[in-house]
Amino acid sequence: MPYRIFCLAFICCLLFNEKSKATDFDFTPNLQKAYAEVFKLRVQSGRELLSKESIKNPFRVYVEDYADMVELINSENEAIYNKWSSREDERLELIEGLDEKSPYNRFLRAEIKLHWALIKIRFGHEVKAGYNVIQAYKLLEENQKLFPNFLPSLKSLGCLHVLIGSVPDKQRWIPKLLGLRGNIQLGMNELRLVAKDKVWGTEAKFCTTFIQAYVLKFDAKQNAEMLQFADSQSDNLNINMVATAISLKDNRTEQAVELLKKTPKDAAYLNFPIFELYKAETQLFKGNYPQAVTSYQNYLRIFKGQTFLKDTYYKLFVCNWLMGDDKKAKLYLSKINEGGSTVAESDKAAQKFYENFQKSKTLPNKTLMKLRLLFDGGYFEEAQQELITLTEKNFSTPKDQAEFNYRAGRIYQKLNQFDKAANYFERSVALTGTQDWSFAPNSALQLGYLQQQKGQKNKAKAYFEQAIAYKNHEYKTSVDNKARAALTEMGY
């Protein structure tokens, strides 16, 4: 769930923990504690601590803004958004009028602009959000030039450098025109530098973990580091939430189950409905469809926003369809088109699934769906047992054949049978041709990784560029980001 996690990831990288020598800026121990509470998603206790501080203290202003962002992104409450939207300019004006010689002046203003960029994206104001990001970037860049040893700027610039650096080649003229400089390696180096610092290390490491999982490659070593990080912060709901999401994304269902058992659950924490989706995913991958349905329905009951609604209806369709209840399955299928946003890639994919069904009136192949769920859950040996009885000839349409080859390739790749995996990926690419199915770009991406692993840089480069060249598939953003990151890593 890349979009939700992207929003939550920024929460980690937006504060610091040292007093300025300037008299206007006083980050008191009480404010530091308030920040820590909000970072852990204990928002109400954080707000109670803030109430003890002067309303003109810029750090109180900042942490209040941070808390607002967490609540708005989590709730997607339109009425509260409209009520609070004036706070952005009020807070920026207050901080701008303080000591301009302090590096905290520009830094805090940039962070507030980033807060509201994320909020505006959540509420569908992408253009306004873009202006916020540009303004924040320029404030941070100016701050870095004026105060080159000021680590908080590096922390936030690192995130932006990675995000801007992952823009596909054909769109890179846009940030250049706007004066935005992106470089994935530079951004990661900046974040790693700050991660070593005892003051800002936790936030920077959080960001690094997220970027590694969602933009770069995430391997067993990084997974072990993530688990160690989560264990060291056992009372931090924020870190637990992201670790659970990454585990599900990285085909580690049993690991996600264990993390969910460790999730801090007392009333001090803000309630995050997304945990119902995490629970549902673990049950879906295990084949426990009735339990998955219960958690998906809980999400619909609890959450009043628009994100992941389409994906949830799609998953409810899948569960009922695999249980043999076609009538209920098609009811949920129809609901995909009735509401929800398409900001998240999973919601885009659900909407595209609905539209394709409306055109073809054909449901997917159940065997392929079960293969996909076994793979997504990390049950690779079980998936291989299913594969043993199948060949491309078991599927009647080119699309199903292309999907079968992609699924088989991914399963054998996870089982370290790389040559076999490559053959399946190549076949999937050939069967896809010029169709806008996602199997070819994803296969090309994996072929690039396989060649990169062998040290065949030129072949890897060709596959990554091929992956980027595909258009109009629902996973274009993530495929392009990963291919671009791999090319950068190899020096292209």
Side-chain angles (χ1 to χ4, degrees):
M1 303 173 181
Y3 174 76
R4 173 64 65 97
I5 305 304
F6 166 77
C7 292
L8 292 169
F10 255 99
I11 293 173
C12 79
C13 60
L14 304 173
L15 203 65
F16 48 91
N17 201 7
E18 181 179 288
K19 288 188 180 182
S20 167
K21 295 179 181 179
T23 57
D24 285 337
F25 293 86
D26 186 13
F27 195 22
T28 68
N30 184 62
L31 280 169
Q32 294 176 30
K33 187 177 179 181
Y35 161 70
E37 289 294 285
V38 175
F39 177 67
K40 293 176 181 179
L41 306 181
R42 294 200 284 238
V43 175
Q44 186 55 42
S45 59
R47 289 192 186 278
E48 290 171 2
L49 291 166
L50 289 175
S51 67
K52 301 174 184 178
E53 300 287 334
S54 167
I55 60 173
K56 294 186 178 181
N57 186 316
F59 293 103
R60 169 174 171 167
V61 171
Y62 177 81
V63 180
E64 282 181 334
D65 198 75
Y66 183 27
D68 286 356
M69 177 186 66
V70 173
E71 291 200 34
L72 284 170
I73 286 175
N74 181 49
S75 70
E76 293 187 18
N77 189 308
E78 189 83 32
I80 295 177
Y81 168 72
N82 292 332
K83 182 179 179 180
W84 290 358
S85 60
S86 63
R87 294 180 178 181
E88 177 187 5
D89 288 339
E90 292 168 1
R91 289 164 175 165
L92 288 169
E93 185 177 352
L94 186 151
I95 295 172
E96 188 173 8
L98 301 177
D99 185 3
E100 292 185 357
K101 295 180 180 179
S102 169
Y104 300 128
N105 185 304
R106 292 172 183 81
F107 175 74
L108 288 179
R109 285 191 285 138
E111 301 302 288
I112 288 175
K113 286 181 180 294
L114 288 174
H115 289 173
W116 284 91
L118 296 173
I119 293 168
K120 289 169 185 176
I121 289 171
R122 174 66 84 208
F123 287 92
H125 305 298
E126 289 87 355
V127 174
K128 290 181 180 179
Y131 282 120
N132 273 53
V133 171
I134 294 167
Q135 292 165 345
Y137 178 92
K138 293 190 179 297
L139 281 168
L140 291 168
E141 190 176 53
E142 181 182 3
N143 217 35
Q144 181 62 16
K145 290 177 180 177
L146 292 171
F147 308 99
N149 297 320
F150 186 66
L151 281 179
S153 291
L154 279 185
K155 178 162 58 68
S156 301
L157 272 175
C159 290
L160 290 175
H161 283 152
V162 172
L163 293 172
I164 296 166
S166 65
V167 172
D169 272 345
K170 291 183 179 179
Q171 299 173 9
R172 300 189 94 184
W173 64 272
I174 300 174
K176 286 182 180 179
L177 182 65
L178 297 171
L180 307 181
R181 181 171 57 98
N183 183 298
I184 292 172
Q185 195 59 52
L186 171 65
M188 292 300 289
N189 288 341
E190 290 167 337
L191 285 169
R192 290 186 186 109
L193 176 64
V194 185
K196 297 176 183 178
D197 188 272
K198 64 180 181 180
V199 178
W200 307 298
T202 300
E203 295 92 336
K205 189 171 182 179
F206 183 105
C207 288
T208 303
T209 302
F210 164 76
I211 290 169
Q212 193 69 51
Y214 283 94
V215 180
L216 308 177
K217 289 186 294 184
F218 193 78
D219 58 24
K221 178 185 176 183
Q222 286 142 0
N223 183 66
E225 291 173 351
M226 179 188 74
L227 291 178
Q228 185 178 15
F229 181 43
D231 285 341
S232 71
Q233 305 282 335
S234 60
D235 66 337
N236 194 314
L237 181 61
N238 201 1
I239 294 172
N240 176 276
M241 177 161 49
V242 171
T244 303
I246 291 173
S247 298
L248 288 168
K249 174 190 173 297
D250 202 45
N251 318 115
R252 301 175 189 271
T253 297
E254 296 302 324
Q255 179 174 294
V257 170
E258 292 305 310
L259 284 164
L260 285 170
K261 290 178 183 177
K262 299 176 183 179
T263 301
K265 295 182 174 68
D266 66 59
Y269 295 94
L270 192 66
N271 180 42
F272 278 79
I274 197 167
F275 278 101
E276 288 297 328
L277 291 188
Y278 296 160
K279 294 174 188 176
E281 298 288 279
T282 63
Q283 297 302 324
L284 174 63
F285 296 148
K286 286 173 173 288
N288 298 331
Y289 305 127
Q291 295 91 326
V293 165
T294 297
S295 289
Y296 284 126
Q297 289 175 336
N298 284 343
Y299 179 76
L300 294 175
R301 178 176 54 83
I302 296 169
F303 185 58
K304 304 305 178 184
Q306 298 297 310
T307 304
F308 303 127
L309 292 190
K310 292 181 184 294
D311 182 58
T312 299
Y313 286 128
Y314 167 73
K315 298 291 177 51
L316 283 165
F317 153 75
V318 169
C319 289
N320 284 281
W321 177 56
L322 293 177
M323 287 190 291
D325 192 339
D326 288 355
K327 182 177 180 180
K328 190 173 288 185
K330 288 185 178 179
L331 175 64
Y332 282 117
L333 179 58
S334 68
K335 287 181 176 293
I336 293 172
N337 199 48
E338 294 177 5
S341 66
T342 53
V343 175
E345 282 198 336
S346 58
D347 286 326
K348 289 179 183 176
Q351 182 65 31
K352 187 166 185 177
F353 178 88
Y354 168 82
E355 291 169 358
N356 287 339
F357 173 74
Q358 290 303 110
K359 293 176 184 177
S360 67
K361 300 300 180 183
T362 302
L363 292 175
N365 184 286
K366 282 191 178 182
T367 299
L368 289 174
M369 180 63 74
K370 290 177 181 178
L371 271 181
R372 175 181 179 175
L373 293 175
L374 284 171
F375 174 83
D376 287 349
Y379 303 113
F380 308 126
E381 288 79 10
E382 293 88 336
Q384 184 185 26
Q385 290 304 309
E386 295 291 329
L387 276 179
I388 291 173
T389 64
L390 299 171
T391 70
E392 183 183 302
K393 293 179 181 179
N394 289 104
F395 305 95
S396 58
T397 69
K399 184 175 182 181
D400 285 350
Q401 291 171 353
E403 180 174 358
F404 166 74
N405 281 281
Y406 170 68
R407 302 290 171 207
R410 291 292 279 139
I411 291 164
Y412 285 115
Q413 183 182 21
K414 287 291 187 178
L415 293 170
N416 297 323
Q417 298 182 40
F418 301 126
D419 290 340
K420 199 169 187 177
N423 291 333
Y424 280 110
F425 288 139
E426 290 282 12
R427 181 61 178 158
S428 182
V429 169
L431 285 165
T432 298
T434 60
Q435 299 292 332
D436 62 353
W437 310 329
S438 63
F439 315 121
N442 276 296
S443 291
L445 177 69
Q446 299 307 322
L447 285 164
Y449 286 144
L450 291 175
Q451 293 299 327
Q452 185 182 20
Q453 191 174 328
K454 291 180 178 180
Q456 300 293 321
K457 289 180 63 175
N458 290 336
K459 289 182 179 179
K461 177 177 181 289
Y463 280 123
F464 288 133
E465 290 176 343
Q466 182 179 357
I468 293 171
Y470 287 99
K471 301 178 181 179
N472 302 323
H473 61 92
E474 60 266 39
Y475 298 108
K476 183 165 179 60
T477 299
S478 61
V479 168
D480 286 9
N481 284 350
K482 287 181 177 294
R484 169 49 47 199
L487 288 167
T488 301
E489 182 183 349
M490 294 190 299
Y492 292 110

